[in-house]
């Protein structure tokens, strides 16, 4: 594919003019063996040719003029029409807009992808012109290097903080939601959240203000909010993007947005709900590249890992992953499926919703309005001769019994339950009305988990924890010897948070013959846990191991493993943070 670079008309011109040697040309061809990089981009990045000479050669061959962005600065009307994400990705700057005609300054006017994306984003006919690299860089910094906070400051200076009005006509909302400034603001909120590594964006309406929060590493963080007056238009813009009905403001709605970024595809699940002060919005950011991690990266290690992996090789039975919402259950199950899938196994999932598409696996979304529930879908799936099934969640006795009976007839079933710990899963199934003998004969194991924030390894600070803190983990000063304990500090890398990313803490209930007898007798979760704790490492103990290794902090583990915090426990965070 590098031959296309060697034969490129501009390449031959540059060689003919003595601006590029044959060896340099072959080097450029070798740098893109798949032919997926445009020659013009390669030439500018190579450093082989003086940029202005290259620009002049390109202008002469393509008959495209060179403009000076200093002499002819971009107009506000042109800048407002092109989203910052597109401008930064393609290093282009709109110069002026005349009706539906947009003059666009760039380095590579031959790029179909650039022209197509700008045309799609703006709805304009694009007329490309050339501009010098340093001028483009300066213009991008000046006009597009903005944050939500800077943009809102500009809106306030321009007097756009009008009095909020409750009764907007639908056509007014549509018009406001399509204004370039508002479109760019919503795009910026989303792109900034993605840059921050957020999992969710919350837009919360209140009487005199609206609040915007990003959930980063499980913790909500408030960001500078737009004016209250912009609330209806912002919500309407999000609803339009998600394919919702903006006229329906008094009922909850669900929608879906898919956006393509340079780093990959991001899917966004959108939910709106009416409140007394307007519609609240939550956007779940589903980054495919972030969830498709290997089992090795979950934090599942040591004794728990050694006992969990053999369960994945079973030919039948049910394996449950438990924890509250947002504890990483789906990520764990996807990592498991990635580990065990092979051409010899047919794997089918039924999920609500299908969050990520997995190669080589058949995935079915739950759609109750069309008659597809977990129970009905599971019945249908069994006719497709699967080897392994993933049921998104066991919500009722019907689904539980079908899944368990399927496990008893030669299928390996994975599913989730919302319980606090591993032993409580058995009690939950009994409370649903599942017969004890069915649970005992089908349940292979229960993995309970939580997510704790991982210390930033660039700025963490070693310290000596007090005895009172060690006591909360049942540890003495002697037992703590040999460990290296750290607390968060904050740096540029972690945006002064002291933490970067999350890791799981786990406990595994491996159902053996002794536990099967307890289940059949209908023993309580306390009795089951008392026996299980002799054989397994608890989440608190797993957290202790990760504290000792400098991966996380006492406060993080206590935050996720303490059901009832006493007044003394409340000061824990001040001890290690």
């Amino acid at each position: 594919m590098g031959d296309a670079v060697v034969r490129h008309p501009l390449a031959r011109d540059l060689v003919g003019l003595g601006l590029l040697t044959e060896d340099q040309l072959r080097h450029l061809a070798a740098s893109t063996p798949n032919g997926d990089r445009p020659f013009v981009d390669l030439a500018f990045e190579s450093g082989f040719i003086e940029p202005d000479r290259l620009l002049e050669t390109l202008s002469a061959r393509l008959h495209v003029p060179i403009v000076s962005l200093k002499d002819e600065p971009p107009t506000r009307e042109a800048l407002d029409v092109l989203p910052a994400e597109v401008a930064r990705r393609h290093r282009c700057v709109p110069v002026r807009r005349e009706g539906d005609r947009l003059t666009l300054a760039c380095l590579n006017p031959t790029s179909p992808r650039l022209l197509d994306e700008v045309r799609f984003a703006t709805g304009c006919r694009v007329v490309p012109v050339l501009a010098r690299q340093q001028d483009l860089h300066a213009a991008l910094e000046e006009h597009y290097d903005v944050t939500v906070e800077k943009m809102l400051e500009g809106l306030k200076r321009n007097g756009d903080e009008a009095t909020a009005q409750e009764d907007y006509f639908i056509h007014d909302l549509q018009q406001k939601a399509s204004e370039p400034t508002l479109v760019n603001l919503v795009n910026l909120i989303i792109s900034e959240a993605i840059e921050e590594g957020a999992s969710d964006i919350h837009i919360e309406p209140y009487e005199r203000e609206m609040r915007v929060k990003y959930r980063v590493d499980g913790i909500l963080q408030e960001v500078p909010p737009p004016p209250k007056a912009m609330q209806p238009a912002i919500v309407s813009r999000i609803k339009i993007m998600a394919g919702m009905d903006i006229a329906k403001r008094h009922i909850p709605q669900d929608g879906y947005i898919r956006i393509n970024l340079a780093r990959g595809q991001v899917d966004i699940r959108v939910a709106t709900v009416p409140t007394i002060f307007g519609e609240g919005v939550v956007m779940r950011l589903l980054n495919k590249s972030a969830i498709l991690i290997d089992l090795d990266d979950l934090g599942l290690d040591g004794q728990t890992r050694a006992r969990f992996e053999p369960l994945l090789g079973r030919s039948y039975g049910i394996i449950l992953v438990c924890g509250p919402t947002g504890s990483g259950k789906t990520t764990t199950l996807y990592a498991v499926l990635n580990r065990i899938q092979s051409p010899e196994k047919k794997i089918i999932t039924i999920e609500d919703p299908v969050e990520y598409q997995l190669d080589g696996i058949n995935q079915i979304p739950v759609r109750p309005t069309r008659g597809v529930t977990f129970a009905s879908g599971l019945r249908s799936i069994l006719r497709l001769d699967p080897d392994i099934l993933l049921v998104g969640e066991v919500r009722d006795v019907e689904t539980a019994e079908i899944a368990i009976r399927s496990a008893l007839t030669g299928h390996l079933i994975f599913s989730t339950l919302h319980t606090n710990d591993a032993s409580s899963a058995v009690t939950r199934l009994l409370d649903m009305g599942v017969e004890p003998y069915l649970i005992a004969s089908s349940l292979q194991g229960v993995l309970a988990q939580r997510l704790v924030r991982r210390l930033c390894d660039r700025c963490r600070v070693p310290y000596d924890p007090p005895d009172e803190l060690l006591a909360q983990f049942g540890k003495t000063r002697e037992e703590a010897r040999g460990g290296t304990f750290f607390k968060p500090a904050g740096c540029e890398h972690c945006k002064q948070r002291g933490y970067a990313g999350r890791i799981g803490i786990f406990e595994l209930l491996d159902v053996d013959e002794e536990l099967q007898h307890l289940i059949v007798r209908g023993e309580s979760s306390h009795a089951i846990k008392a026996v299980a704790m002799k054989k397994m490492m608890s989440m608190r103990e797993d957290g202790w191991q990760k504290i000792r290794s400098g991966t996380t902090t006492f406060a993080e583990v206590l935050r996720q493993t303490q059901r009832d915090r006493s007044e003394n426990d409340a000061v824990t965070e001040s001890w290690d943070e």
Side-chain angles (χ1 to χ4, degrees):
M1 292 298 290
D3 291 344
V5 171
V6 175
R7 294 194 302 268
H8 194 283
L10 180 63
R12 305 320 312 170
D13 285 354
L14 293 170
V15 171
L17 291 168
L19 299 175
L20 194 66
T21 68
E22 291 288 354
D23 285 344
Q24 289 171 336
L25 184 57
R26 282 192 291 271
H27 179 82
L28 291 181
S31 69
T32 178
N34 297 322
D36 54 357
R37 297 289 310 283
F39 172 75
V40 175
D41 292 349
L42 292 172
F44 273 109
E45 294 169 7
S46 69
F48 293 149
I49 312 166
E50 200 275 320
D52 285 353
R53 291 292 305 276
L54 177 56
L55 199 69
E56 290 163 5
T57 305
L58 193 59
S59 175
R61 162 161 276 281
L62 299 176
H63 306 289
V64 175
I66 300 173
V67 300
S68 169
L69 296 179
K70 294 178 181 177
D71 297 336
E72 188 179 353
T75 66
R76 174 49 54 190
E77 184 184 16
L79 291 166
D80 284 345
V81 81
L82 184 66
E85 170 71 25
V86 178
R88 287 194 295 261
R89 182 162 64 245
H90 292 292
R91 292 175 299 170
C92 61
V93 175
V95 181
R96 59 182 175 273
R97 181 185 181 186
E98 299 160 318
D100 67 345
R101 175 187 168 102
L102 183 70
T103 300
L104 184 78
C106 61
L107 284 176
N108 184 7
T110 66
S111 169
R113 184 177 175 189
L114 179 153
L115 299 177
D116 287 345
E117 282 202 34
V118 173
R119 191 180 300 116
F120 178 78
T122 64
C124 295
R125 292 186 297 115
V126 180
V127 180
V129 294
L130 291 163
R132 287 176 171 77
Q133 273 185 315
Q134 58 267 35
D135 290 353
L136 283 171
H137 181 73
L140 284 169
E141 274 201 345
E142 179 181 354
H143 301 295
Y144 284 112
D145 186 20
V146 294
T147 63
V148 172
E149 186 171 9
K150 288 180 181 177
M151 189 169 187
L152 293 174
E153 287 174 0
L155 289 173
K156 290 177 182 178
R157 284 196 302 270
N158 294 332
D160 287 343
E161 194 171 0
T163 303
Q165 295 179 14
E166 190 66 29
D167 298 321
Y168 281 92
F169 290 107
I170 298 305
H171 69 268
D172 290 338
L173 283 174
Q174 288 174 328
Q175 182 178 355
K176 288 179 178 295
S178 301
E179 289 177 358
T181 301
L182 190 123
V183 169
N184 288 339
L185 175 59
V186 172
N187 290 345
L188 192 58
I189 289 172
I190 294 173
S191 62
E192 201 168 79
I194 294 170
E195 287 294 326
E196 291 281 325
S199 60
D200 303 85
I201 302 171
H202 292 240
I203 296 177
E204 302 174 349
Y206 295 94
E207 183 177 8
R208 293 183 176 84
E209 63 179 350
M210 65 179 296
R211 294 179 183 172
V212 178
K213 300 175 182 177
Y214 301 155
R215 188 178 292 280
V216 180
D217 293 337
I219 305 296
L220 280 175
Q221 301 177 356
E222 194 163 350
V223 298
K228 174 70 174 177
M230 299 182 73
Q231 176 185 309
I234 288 173
V235 173
S236 295
R237 175 61 191 167
I238 294 169
K239 291 170 74 173
I240 289 170
M241 294 171 69
M244 300 179 184
D245 187 344
I246 66 170
K248 296 179 179 177
R249 289 177 281 166
H250 304 293
I251 60 171
Q253 292 189 65
D254 294 307
Y256 184 82
I257 302 169
R258 172 167 289 174
I259 57 177
N260 292 302
L261 302 174
R263 69 184 67 183
Q265 194 176 81
V266 176
D267 295 338
I268 304 175
R269 275 206 336 252
V270 183
T272 65
V273 63
T275 76
I276 58 174
F277 299 119
E279 290 178 280
V281 181
V282 174
M283 293 183 275
R284 169 65 58 88
L285 307 177
L286 307 170
N287 189 336
K288 187 174 183 179
S289 62
I291 194 164
L292 296 181
I293 63 175
D294 191 81
L295 203 57
D296 298 330
D297 301 320
L298 294 174
L300 190 65
D301 47 33
Q303 177 194 129
T304 305
R305 169 78 174 266
R307 292 170 51 232
F308 183 64
E309 286 198 320
L311 296 179
L312 307 184
R314 303 278 173 91
S315 58
Y316 72 93
I318 185 166
I319 298 171
L320 295 174
V321 178
C322 298
T325 300
S327 60
K329 299 187 295 296
T330 300
T331 302
T332 297
L333 286 175
Y334 280 4
V336 166
L337 293 186
N338 276 330
R339 170 63 63 89
I340 65 178
Q341 74 163 315
S342 70
E344 294 79 28
K345 296 175 182 175
K346 181 163 186 175
I347 302 177
I348 302 178
T349 76
I350 179 163
E351 306 169 62
D352 182 21
V354 174
E355 293 190 0
Y356 300 92
Q357 297 172 12
L358 303 173
D359 292 336
I361 295 175
N362 297 291
Q363 295 173 271
I364 300 171
V366 168
R367 289 177 178 162
T369 57
R370 299 183 183 180
V372 182
T373 62
F374 278 119
S376 65
L378 193 49
R379 286 195 192 93
S380 301
I381 288 172
L382 293 173
R383 303 189 194 106
L384 302 179
D385 188 31
D387 298 296
I388 298 169
L389 290 169
L390 185 152
V391 182
E393 183 184 347
V394 174
R395 294 179 178 173
D396 52 53
V397 65
E398 185 181 14
T399 304
E401 287 190 342
I402 297 171
I404 286 173
R405 292 183 188 279
S406 302
L408 292 174
T409 55
H411 301 90
L412 183 60
I413 312 287
F414 294 94
S415 191
T416 69
L417 268 180
H418 287 100
T419 62
N420 287 319
D421 53 37
S423 56
S424 298
V426 175
T427 309
R428 176 74 187 278
L429 292 172
L430 290 170
D431 290 343
M432 283 183 180
V434 181
E435 294 293 337
Y437 75 91
L438 288 176
I439 301 172
S441 54
S442 64
L443 189 61
Q444 301 291 318
V446 182
L447 183 73
Q449 67 178 71
R450 297 286 192 282
L451 292 176
V452 295
R453 289 184 291 173
R454 190 193 293 263
L455 275 166
C456 175
D457 56 11
R458 300 192 187 188
C459 65
R460 61 184 184 175
V461 179
Y463 87 125
D464 190 25
D467 291 342
E468 301 96 312
L469 197 52
L470 295 173
Q472 292 200 54
F473 286 78
K475 306 297 180 183
T476 64
R477 178 65 56 186
E478 185 64 30
E479 290 173 301
R481 295 189 190 281
T484 306
F485 302 95
F486 292 88
K487 62 181 179 180
C491 65
E492 185 177 340
H493 173 69
C494 64
K495 297 181 172 61
Q496 306 303 323
R497 296 186 187 110
Y499 296 93
R502 289 188 288 178
I503 192 169
I505 54 174
F506 303 88
E507 66 182 27
L508 176 66
L509 178 68
D510 192 352
V511 181
D512 59 12
E513 190 172 339
E514 183 179 4
L515 288 172
Q516 286 175 339
H517 288 312
L518 293 177
I519 294 169
V520 170
R521 291 204 304 266
E523 296 286 352
S524 68
S525 63
H526 296 292
I528 293 171
K529 187 168 187 175
V531 173
M533 288 304 298
K534 299 174 185 177
K535 309 175 184 185
M536 73 178 186
M537 179 187 293
S538 68
M539 276 188 284
R540 176 71 67 88
E541 184 63 28
D542 188 30
W544 163 255
Q545 299 297 334
K546 291 179 170 69
I547 295 168
R548 270 180 65 100
S549 66
T551 304
T552 190
T553 64
F554 287 96
E556 279 297 294
V557 174
L558 289 172
R559 180 170 65 88
Q560 292 292 0
T561 59
Q562 263 183 171
R563 296 186 196 174
D564 301 311
R565 296 183 65 176
S566 67
E567 290 183 9
N568 291 333
D569 295 338
V571 300
T572 301
E573 294 189 15
S574 64
W575 281 338
D576 75 355
E577 298 190 19

